[in-house]
Amino acid sequence: AQRVTQPEKLLSVFKGAPVELKCNYSYSGSPELFWYVQYSRQRLQLLLRHISRESIKGFTADLNKGETSFHLKKPFAQEEDSAMYYCALSPPGGAQKLVFGQGTRLTINP
Amino acid sequence: NAGVMQNPRHLVRRRGQEARLRCSPMKGHSHVYWYRQLPEEGLKFMVYLQKENIIDESGMPKERFSAEFPKEGPSILRIQQVVRGDSAAYFCASSLSLTDTQYFGPGTRLTVL
């Protein structure tokens, strides 16, 4: 079965501290993995996808196939990072039919 | 580019009424996806359409729900005889191609009284 698990519903860290949002997935094959973010009063938007191997707004995510994880990391959190973060997967070769995790609400304290 | 547009943003219906949710994809996008988000849950895929065709409706409830994406005009998600359990946020996304990023609309929040 296809499943994405984000074990933390809420995560709070202080500004300047490292942040890691956990994501584990279940999929028979090699899915594509994504992180989406929703800032307050804004629409859901793509933060990064693993095939791009980009660093967006200081965030990176490494796909670990052995542990079936795709954790999102940032070495120094900023207040503007406060948002709802969703991990998602899709079948290989396309971005259709995204399977989302429940989301983690990240709060950066000043 | 105005982005994906959804209307209405908020919709209130009484049990048994019909709900029609509209989604206008980004200019040039011919792939449309609908997702539903129940309270305290992540988004769940419902249906994937290309112009005039339903490609994947594996996430759609078998009864009362239908979707279309006509040659002209927005994509419509239609819920007949709504029940309280249909109360949710419904999100539409569009993409340029099958492998392209999905861009999301602001969502329609449906409340069934």
Side-chain angles (χ1 to χ4, degrees):
Chain A
Q2 303 173 16
R3 184 177 297 161
V4 176
T5 303
Q6 293 179 249
E8 304 137 328
K9 289 186 76 172
L10 301 169
L11 183 63
S12 182
V13 301
F14 285 102
K15 177 182 172 181
V19 61
E20 181 179 55
L21 289 86
K22 291 186 169 51
C23 172
N24 290 90
Y25 66 91
S26 173
Y27 187 86
S28 54
S30 298
E32 292 205 33
L33 275 299
F34 307 82
W35 275 99
Y36 277 81
V37 61
Q38 187 170 28
Y39 300 103
S40 180
R41 302 182 191 282
Q42 294 187 28
R43 59 187 67 190
L44 197 64
Q45 58 186 282
L46 179 68
L47 181 61
L48 53 82
R49 56 195 296 181
H50 87 274
I51 59 171
S52 301
R53 296 182 180 276
E54 292 174 303
S55 172
I56 307 294
K57 299 185 178 183
F59 284 97
T60 58
D62 291 319
L63 178 60
N64 186 321
K65 292 185 179 179
E67 295 182 359
T68 59
S69 68
F70 188 56
H71 303 328
L72 183 69
K73 300 177 185 178
K74 184 169 182 176
F76 306 104
Q78 299 173 309
E79 287 185 67
E80 54 264 33
D81 296 328
S82 294
M84 195 75 185
Y85 290 80
Y86 294 95
C87 182
L89 66 77
S90 75
Q96 75 276 20
K97 196 173 181 178
L98 291 168
V99 177
F100 283 89
Q102 284 188 292
T104 297
R105 182 169 297 282
L106 176 65
T107 301
I108 308 301
N109 299 306
Chain B
N1 199 327
V4 178
M5 306 295 288
Q6 288 188 250
N7 67 81
R9 294 291 309 277
H10 300 273
L11 182 61
V12 179
R13 286 286 178 268
R14 295 190 182 280
R15 281 179 294 170
Q17 292 184 318
E18 179 181 284
R20 280 187 179 232
L21 288 64
R22 294 175 187 77
C23 169
S24 297
M26 286 179 70
K27 189 175 181 181
H29 287 194
S30 60
H31 301 251
V32 166
Y33 316 81
W34 286 93
Y35 295 86
R36 177 166 66 174
Q37 185 177 32
L38 296 170
E40 304 297 320
E41 293 188 16
L43 284 74
K44 297 267 194 303
F45 169 80
M46 298 181 76
V47 62
Y48 162 39
L49 311 100
Q50 287 185 44
K51 279 290 187 182
E52 300 184 272
N53 292 305
I54 295 175
I55 307 302
D56 182 344
E57 56 181 348
S58 57
M60 287 275 272
K62 293 286 185 280
E63 298 176 349
R64 303 187 297 107
F65 285 73
S66 62
E68 62 177 10
F69 188 16
K71 189 176 180 182
E72 301 290 337
S75 175
I76 307 283
L77 179 67
R78 183 182 176 206
I79 311 172
Q80 294 178 291
Q81 299 175 323
V82 295
V83 300
R84 288 231 173 96
D86 297 332
S87 295
Y90 292 82
F91 291 93
C92 167
S94 73
S95 67
L96 191 60
S97 71
L98 191 62
T99 58
D100 193 33
T101 299
Q102 291 185 28
Y103 294 87
F104 281 79
T108 293
R109 189 163 299 277
L110 172 66
T111 301
V112 179
L113 302 177

